[in-house]
Amino acid sequence: MSDIADEQDVAEEAVRLEIQLSAVRARLDHPLPSSASDRHPAFPPQALPSHSLLLLSDSALPLGSFAFSNGLESYLAHRPFSTNSKAASEAFPHFLTLALTTLAATTLPYLLAAHRCPKQLQNLDATLDACALCPVARRASVAQGKALLTLWERALRADAGDSPAALALGEFSVVLKRRPSPCDSDNELSGHFAPIWAAVTCATRIKLHESAYTFLLNHARAVVSAAVRASVMGPYAAQGMLASGWLRREIEDMMVRNWEVGVEDAAQGVPMCDLWVGRHELLYSRIFNS
């Protein structure tokens, strides 16, 4: 009886091995697709949203943007309606337009240039730093830029490949972390937000117009978020403003006006924004870093 049982076990084992071998051969003849877009014809790659763009547009992105009001707190404190929440809410769209205009006129050209030519990342960062007249705004830009560079190295770099933008970011990081020597002081880097954002989006294969639009929309969202925390408006009103056609048209118009503007023509179009941001540190009390 034991011999018969052993033969049955051997036969069953042989059948299992044959089944496994057939399965392996089938996988070799018909390899599994690498993604859901390959498995189903209804989801071609071009029909799916950019995974990297969704990550970079997330409000939970650890860049520290929530710590800055981008001049809103100082603007409210220097206006006659500083104690009137209704008047402040009505005036907020005007301030948001000024804030976006300032960003588009002074910073967007550097983003466009860095995305178009990532090899110029170091030169663009140095030029932007030399043209940053407001020290408070400069510190905010550098803080967010360095945070994005850290995020790139720790989370986004692995799947980016060896594109020119990825290589430029690697060289930039090495130079930024290197202790400057007395004879090399002219080549110090700061790590401004806009050029690094452009290089990261370029390295993650995000198109230029998507990169620019998301950059401006993220800035608008940061200002609106600061308005909620400053009790200018409620969360539902804030989401209504972000979803409005008015804001979408504002961003699109600013992109059109500055699309061909070079870094040599970038300039502050709203000087009062620099004054509001610069005077933030003089406020008696404040809840934001800038």
Side-chain angles (χ1 to χ4, degrees):
M1 294 293 295
S2 60
D3 294 339
I4 296 176
D6 292 341
E7 291 178 359
Q8 290 178 345
D9 292 340
V10 171
E12 292 176 358
E13 181 67 21
V15 171
R16 285 196 295 269
L17 292 175
E18 285 291 342
I19 294 174
Q20 294 177 4
L21 182 59
S22 299
V24 172
R25 287 173 177 170
R27 291 174 60 186
L28 292 175
D29 294 337
H30 303 284
L32 293 175
S34 58
S35 65
S37 60
D38 297 326
R39 288 196 297 269
H40 201 290
F43 301 107
Q46 63 272 18
L48 297 177
S50 170
H51 187 75
S52 299
L53 182 61
L54 293 177
L55 291 176
L56 291 172
S57 60
D58 187 1
S59 59
L61 203 67
L63 301 182
S65 302
F66 64 90
F68 307 102
S69 71
N70 299 286
L72 175 62
E73 187 174 21
S74 179
Y75 170 76
L76 296 174
H78 287 85
R79 305 293 291 180
F81 51 71
S82 58
T83 58
N84 188 331
S85 59
K86 182 179 179 180
S89 178
E90 293 174 350
F92 177 74
H94 175 65
F95 173 81
L96 182 57
T97 299
L98 297 181
L100 287 173
T101 301
T102 295
L103 185 71
T106 60
T107 308
L108 186 60
Y110 291 90
L111 185 155
L112 299 175
H115 196 286
R116 290 164 177 160
C117 186
K119 294 181 180 179
Q120 295 296 319
L121 179 59
Q122 297 186 31
N123 293 333
L124 291 170
D125 178 81
T127 304
L128 178 56
D129 189 70
C131 296
L133 302 180
C134 178
V136 179
R138 178 191 177 278
R139 286 199 300 270
S141 175
V142 169
Q144 294 176 84
K146 290 182 176 179
L148 179 57
L149 188 61
T150 301
L151 178 66
W152 158 259
E153 294 176 335
R154 296 186 179 183
L156 304 176
R157 176 67 181 89
D159 295 330
D162 293 326
S163 64
L167 296 177
L169 283 166
E171 295 175 359
F172 187 93
S173 178
V174 171
V175 177
L176 184 64
K177 296 175 182 178
R178 186 177 60 196
R179 185 185 300 274
S181 60
C183 60
D184 195 33
S185 58
D186 293 338
N187 294 326
E188 295 181 18
L189 298 178
S190 298
H192 282 276
F193 186 31
I196 295 177
W197 170 275
V200 169
T201 53
C202 182
T204 52
R205 296 174 293 279
I206 296 174
K207 298 178 182 178
L208 177 57
H209 67 278
E210 294 176 332
S211 173
Y213 189 95
T214 305
F215 182 78
L216 292 174
L217 179 60
N218 283 354
H219 185 77
R221 182 165 51 192
V223 177
V224 170
S225 175
V228 173
R229 284 173 286 159
S231 300
V232 174
M233 63 179 65
Y236 293 109
Q239 289 302 314
M241 178 167 291
L242 290 175
S244 65
W246 167 80
L247 179 59
R248 183 172 63 252
R249 290 189 296 271
E250 285 287 318
I251 294 176
E252 291 173 353
D253 290 344
M254 291 175 189
M255 288 178 59
V256 171
R257 290 198 301 268
N258 295 278
W259 195 254
E260 300 298 335
V261 176
V263 296
E264 64 278 0
D265 295 320
Q268 173 60 275
V270 188
M272 282 301 299
C273 283
D274 276 349
L275 293 177
W276 289 323
V277 174
R279 288 186 58 83
H280 181 271
E281 294 182 338
L282 302 179
L283 299 180
Y284 178 76
S285 63
R286 54 185 183 269
I287 60 177
F288 298 96
N289 288 342
S290 73

